[in-house]
Amino acid sequence: MAAHPFHLAFPVTDLEQTRRFYVDMLGASTGREAPRWIDFNLFGHQVSAHLVDKMDKVPTNPVDGQDIPARHFGVILERAEWNKLAGKLRACNTSFIVEPYVRFEGQTGEQATMFFQDPSGNYLEFKSFADHKDIFDPDYKD
Protein backbone atom coordinates (compact mmCIF):
# COMPACT_ATOMS: atom_id res chain seq x y z
CA MET A 1 0.00 0.00 0.00
CA ALA A 2 1.16 3.55 -0.70
CA ALA A 3 2.58 5.52 2.24
CA HIS A 4 -0.30 8.01 2.07
CA PRO A 5 -3.09 6.60 -0.07
CA PHE A 6 -5.48 9.11 -1.58
CA HIS A 7 -9.26 8.85 -1.87
CA LEU A 8 -11.15 9.87 -4.99
CA ALA A 9 -14.87 9.55 -5.67
CA PHE A 10 -16.08 9.59 -9.27
CA PRO A 11 -19.42 9.20 -11.07
CA VAL A 12 -20.41 6.11 -13.08
CA THR A 13 -23.54 5.08 -14.95
CA ASP A 14 -23.27 1.28 -14.50
CA LEU A 15 -21.74 -0.27 -11.37
CA GLU A 16 -21.28 -3.81 -12.71
CA GLN A 17 -19.65 -2.62 -15.94
CA THR A 18 -17.41 -0.38 -13.81
CA ARG A 19 -16.52 -3.31 -11.52
CA ARG A 20 -15.47 -5.46 -14.49
CA PHE A 21 -13.35 -2.66 -15.99
CA TYR A 22 -11.51 -1.65 -12.82
CA VAL A 23 -10.95 -5.24 -11.63
CA ASP A 24 -10.33 -7.06 -14.94
CA MET A 25 -8.59 -4.31 -16.95
CA LEU A 26 -6.80 -2.25 -14.30
CA GLY A 27 -6.17 -4.96 -11.69
CA ALA A 28 -8.03 -3.24 -8.84
CA SER A 29 -9.67 -5.18 -6.04
CA THR A 30 -13.01 -4.32 -4.50
CA GLY A 31 -13.56 -3.11 -0.96
CA ARG A 32 -16.70 -1.90 0.72
CA GLU A 33 -19.80 -1.45 -1.39
CA ALA A 34 -23.47 -0.53 -1.24
CA PRO A 35 -26.27 -0.52 -3.82
CA ARG A 36 -25.09 2.82 -5.33
CA TRP A 37 -21.29 2.75 -4.84
CA ILE A 38 -18.20 0.52 -4.83
CA ASP A 39 -14.78 1.19 -3.28
CA PHE A 40 -11.79 -0.07 -5.27
CA ASN A 41 -8.19 -0.56 -4.22
CA LEU A 42 -6.40 0.91 -7.24
CA PHE A 43 -2.64 0.49 -6.73
CA GLY A 44 -3.08 1.11 -2.99
CA HIS A 45 -5.48 4.04 -3.33
CA GLN A 46 -9.18 4.13 -2.51
CA VAL A 47 -11.27 5.16 -5.50
CA SER A 48 -15.03 5.09 -5.09
CA ALA A 49 -17.44 4.68 -8.00
CA HIS A 50 -20.79 6.38 -7.30
CA LEU A 51 -23.83 5.65 -9.46
CA VAL A 52 -25.33 8.72 -11.17
CA ASP A 53 -28.11 9.18 -13.69
CA LYS A 54 -26.06 11.15 -16.24
CA MET A 55 -22.51 12.26 -16.91
CA ASP A 56 -21.46 15.86 -17.53
CA LYS A 57 -19.24 16.96 -20.45
CA VAL A 58 -15.58 17.40 -19.47
CA PRO A 59 -13.72 20.54 -20.63
CA THR A 60 -10.29 20.13 -22.24
CA ASN A 61 -6.94 21.90 -22.15
CA PRO A 62 -4.09 21.78 -24.73
CA VAL A 63 -0.97 20.02 -23.37
CA ASP A 64 2.02 18.95 -25.47
CA GLY A 65 -0.03 19.15 -28.68
CA GLN A 66 -2.86 17.02 -27.27
CA ASP A 67 -6.40 18.01 -26.27
CA ILE A 68 -6.34 16.77 -22.66
CA PRO A 69 -9.49 16.34 -20.54
CA ALA A 70 -9.23 18.83 -17.66
CA ARG A 71 -10.87 16.36 -15.26
CA HIS A 72 -8.98 13.07 -15.14
CA PHE A 73 -7.22 10.82 -12.65
CA GLY A 74 -4.79 7.94 -12.63
CA VAL A 75 -1.70 6.55 -10.98
CA ILE A 76 2.03 7.15 -11.45
CA LEU A 77 3.60 3.72 -11.97
CA GLU A 78 7.11 2.35 -12.28
CA ARG A 79 8.02 2.04 -15.98
CA ALA A 80 7.84 -1.78 -16.11
CA GLU A 81 4.37 -1.70 -14.52
CA TRP A 82 3.29 1.10 -16.91
CA ASN A 83 4.56 -0.90 -19.92
CA LYS A 84 2.67 -3.99 -18.73
CA LEU A 85 -0.59 -2.03 -18.33
CA ALA A 86 -0.16 -0.32 -21.72
CA GLY A 87 0.40 -3.72 -23.34
CA LYS A 88 -2.67 -5.20 -21.66
CA LEU A 89 -4.86 -2.26 -22.72
CA ARG A 90 -3.56 -2.47 -26.31
CA ALA A 91 -4.17 -6.24 -26.39
CA CYS A 92 -7.78 -5.59 -25.31
CA ASN A 93 -8.19 -3.04 -28.15
CA THR A 94 -8.67 -0.11 -25.79
CA SER A 95 -9.69 3.07 -27.57
CA PHE A 96 -7.10 5.56 -26.34
CA ILE A 97 -7.70 9.31 -26.09
CA VAL A 98 -3.89 9.64 -26.16
CA GLU A 99 -1.99 6.53 -27.26
CA PRO A 100 0.80 5.40 -24.91
CA TYR A 101 3.95 7.41 -25.62
CA VAL A 102 6.85 9.23 -23.93
CA ARG A 103 6.51 13.00 -23.70
CA PHE A 104 9.29 15.51 -22.96
CA GLU A 105 11.82 12.81 -23.88
CA GLY A 106 15.33 13.64 -22.65
CA GLN A 107 14.04 16.67 -20.71
CA THR A 108 13.14 17.42 -17.12
CA GLY A 109 9.73 15.88 -16.55
CA GLU A 110 10.17 13.05 -19.09
CA GLN A 111 7.21 10.74 -18.67
CA ALA A 112 5.42 7.89 -20.33
CA THR A 113 1.70 8.66 -20.48
CA MET A 114 -1.58 7.34 -21.84
CA PHE A 115 -5.19 8.50 -21.63
CA PHE A 116 -8.31 6.37 -21.98
CA GLN A 117 -11.84 6.26 -20.63
CA ASP A 118 -13.64 3.89 -18.32
CA PRO A 119 -17.06 2.54 -19.39
CA SER A 120 -18.85 5.59 -17.92
CA GLY A 121 -16.66 8.07 -19.80
CA ASN A 122 -14.34 9.06 -16.92
CA TYR A 123 -10.91 9.99 -18.22
CA LEU A 124 -7.88 8.20 -16.81
CA GLU A 125 -4.20 8.99 -17.25
CA PHE A 126 -1.51 6.57 -16.18
CA LYS A 127 2.07 7.89 -16.14
CA SER A 128 5.61 6.81 -15.44
CA PHE A 129 8.32 9.41 -14.84
CA ALA A 130 11.90 8.76 -15.91
CA ASP A 131 13.00 10.36 -12.63
CA HIS A 132 10.61 10.51 -9.65
CA LYS A 133 12.15 13.80 -8.46
CA ASP A 134 10.54 15.43 -11.52
CA ILE A 135 7.01 14.66 -10.30
CA PHE A 136 6.94 17.84 -8.19
CA ASP A 137 9.84 19.79 -9.74
CA PRO A 138 9.00 23.51 -9.10
CA ASP A 139 11.38 24.62 -11.90
CA TYR A 140 9.51 22.72 -14.62
CA LYS A 141 8.02 24.96 -17.33
CA ASP A 142 5.84 23.67 -20.19
Side-chain angles (χ1 to χ4, degrees), residues 40-132:
F40 295 99
N41 176 345
L42 184 65
F43 295 97
H45 303 284
Q46 182 193 48
V47 297
S48 301
H50 288 263
L51 190 61
V52 298
D53 295 327
K54 71 178 186 110
M55 298 292 286
D56 296 326
K57 183 172 170 25
V58 175
T60 61
N61 186 33
V63 177
D64 191 33
Q66 304 281 348
D67 201 21
I68 301 301
R71 185 177 66 226
H72 62 271
F73 69 95
V75 179
I76 298 171
L77 303 172
E78 295 297 329
R79 189 60 55 98
E81 204 169 17
W82 184 92
N83 287 333
K84 182 178 176 183
L85 179 59
K88 180 178 184 179
L89 292 168
R90 281 185 167 132
C92 292
N93 297 314
T94 298
S95 178
F96 290 96
I97 304 304
V98 175
E99 291 279 338
Y101 81 108
V102 175
R103 71 165 68 148
F104 315 129
E105 197 162 0
Q107 302 173 46
T108 299
E110 177 181 322
Q111 60 193 263
T113 185
M114 59 182 147
F115 277 86
F116 51 94
Q117 290 178 282
D118 73 9
S120 293
N122 292 297
Y123 292 91
L124 294 106
E125 177 186 22
F126 282 75
K127 306 179 173 195
S128 177
F129 280 82
D131 189 334
H132 278 239

